[in-house]
């Protein structure tokens, strides 16, 4: 019976099984909770339906399902998101430098790693600020605060000298590149060139400066580089072009470093968080300042084309999205620990719910569908730019006038 089926059937079978296995690989590594069993069942259902459409015999159908299951299990075994505690490296005595510890992920990570027994070097913008004082008050004497603006090479070099002086002959086990900024929000045409440069200065050039400066210490210890990036660096989130472009450049840099540093024994990982409440994200006054600066910086003609109400809606949508973000930062801090202590750290980690699903849709669905998903997930804009609304109104009036003229002509006839 099986001799009746040509080679293309077997090729189709193999390709479909690999597709399902690849999809399951992403799902099982994405922290989706109860979703994987559902998606696995849907995948198996699609597989059965396609094979049944080809009228394959029951034995071959069973073989296909077993092959798909084997692919899933193999992928899960190779890319499981966590490691057993017994396999993890011990944190005690390992030195880690974390950038951007005034607030957010950096602040939470500095506390968490200090509590685990790491020797933490935490960089802050302001040694007298609330974040720095909180770290001094709550952390152990093993934590060292360093005042560093990562866009200033002199301050980065001074931090390197201070770190070397305290470490002595010991190398640096981990560098956590966390410092980052979203200078502005809005459409590309509405974003000032200074906004793009501001994001690039911090998120890309600043991180590059710190990484290059501390690489000798990391190579000495055969340590780890862990970089907090963003899904906006891989996917076109509306109104985040300046931030996303800087993160895209950062992602490529980190991926290149991962290959180059492998011979040195330095492991490199990227963490992609979902939406969390960090820094100014939930501060309404912050969004108001951003909105005011945007209005003041726009040429009058451009403001007229887009309309102040269009910009106001964007601001309100950002504020609403940020206010609904997760205040619990532990998924990110725990992932940082995984990347620092795992014997075989992953190249890429998803931290928080929904990120894995987003990348699954981005990887396997048509661009039009994934783009629409992003727009519905992130900013659900209802207003079009003012010039387009006027144009639509003009077209509608023109259409109505044409219809009225035709009706008059019909009456005259």
């Amino acid at each position: 019976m099986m001799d009746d089926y040509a080679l293309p059937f077997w090729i189709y079978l193999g390709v479909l099984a690999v597709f399902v296995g690849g999809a399951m690989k992403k799902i099982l590594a994405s922290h989706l909770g109860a979703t994987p069993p559902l998606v696995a069942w849907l995948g198996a259902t699609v597989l059965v339906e396609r094979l049944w459409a080809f009228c394959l015999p029951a034995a071959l159908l069973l073989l296909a399902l077993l092959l798909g299951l084997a692919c899933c299990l193999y992928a899960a075994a190779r890319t499981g998101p966590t490691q057993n505690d017994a396999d993890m490296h011990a944190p005690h005595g390992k030195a880690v430098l974390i950038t951007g510890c005034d607030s957010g992920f950096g602040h939470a990570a500095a506390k968490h790693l200090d509590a685990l027994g790491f020797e933490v070097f935490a960089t802050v913008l302001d040694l007298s600020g609330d974040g720095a004082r909180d770290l001094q008050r709550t952390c152990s004497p093993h934590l060292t605060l360093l005042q560093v603006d990562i866009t200033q090479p002199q301050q980065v070099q001074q931090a390197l000298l201070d770190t070397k002086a305290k470490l002595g002959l010991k190398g640096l086990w981990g560098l956590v590149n966390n410092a980052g900024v979203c200078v502005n929000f809005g459409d590309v045409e509405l974003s000032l060139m200074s906004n793009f440069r501001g994001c690039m200065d911090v998120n890309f050039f600043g991180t590059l400066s710190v990484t290059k400066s501390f690489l000798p210490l990391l190579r000495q210890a055969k340590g780890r580089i862990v970089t907090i990036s963003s899904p906006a660096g891989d996917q076109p989130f509306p109104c985040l072009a300046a931030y996303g472009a800087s993160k895209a450049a950062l992602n490529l840099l980190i991926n290149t470093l991962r290959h180059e540093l492998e011979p040195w024994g330095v492991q490199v990982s990227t963490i992609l968080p979902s939406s969390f409440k960090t820094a100014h994200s939930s501060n309404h006054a912050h969004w108001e300042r951003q909105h005011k600066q945007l209005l003041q910086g726009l040429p009058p003609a451009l403001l007229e084309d887009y309309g102040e109400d269009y910009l106001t809606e964007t601001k309100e949508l950002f504020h609403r999205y940020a206010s609904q973000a997760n205040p619990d930062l532990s998924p990110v801090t725990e992932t940082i620990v995984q990347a620092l202590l795992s014997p075989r750290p992953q190249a890429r980690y998803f931290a928080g719910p929904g990120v894995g699903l987003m990348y699954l849709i981005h990887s396997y669905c048509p661009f039009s569908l994934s783009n629409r998903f992003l727009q519905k997930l992130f900013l659900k804009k209802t207003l079009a730019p003012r010039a387009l609304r006027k144009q639509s109104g003009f077209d509608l009036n023109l259409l109505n006038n044409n219809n009225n003229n035709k009706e008059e002509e019909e009456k005259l006839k």
Side-chain angles (χ1 to χ4, degrees), residues 181-203 241-246 290 293-295 297-298:
V181 65
C182 182
V183 175
N184 190 258
F185 60 90
D187 300 50
V188 172
E189 190 176 13
L190 299 175
S191 299
L192 304 175
M193 289 301 297
S194 59
N195 296 333
F196 285 90
R197 293 190 182 97
C199 285
M200 289 296 294
D201 280 346
V202 177
N203 300 340
Y243 177 74
S246 66
Q290 293 269 37
Q293 290 171 2
L294 182 60
L295 290 175
L298 285 180

Side-chain angles (χ1 to χ4, degrees), residues 7 47 64 71 95 105 110 163 174 183 246 249 260 262 277 315 375:
L7 180 61
L47 181 61
C71 290
F105 297 140
T163 304
V183 175
S246 66
E260 294 177 349
E262 186 176 0
K277 286 186 179 180
K315 181 250 308 184
Q375 291 173 340

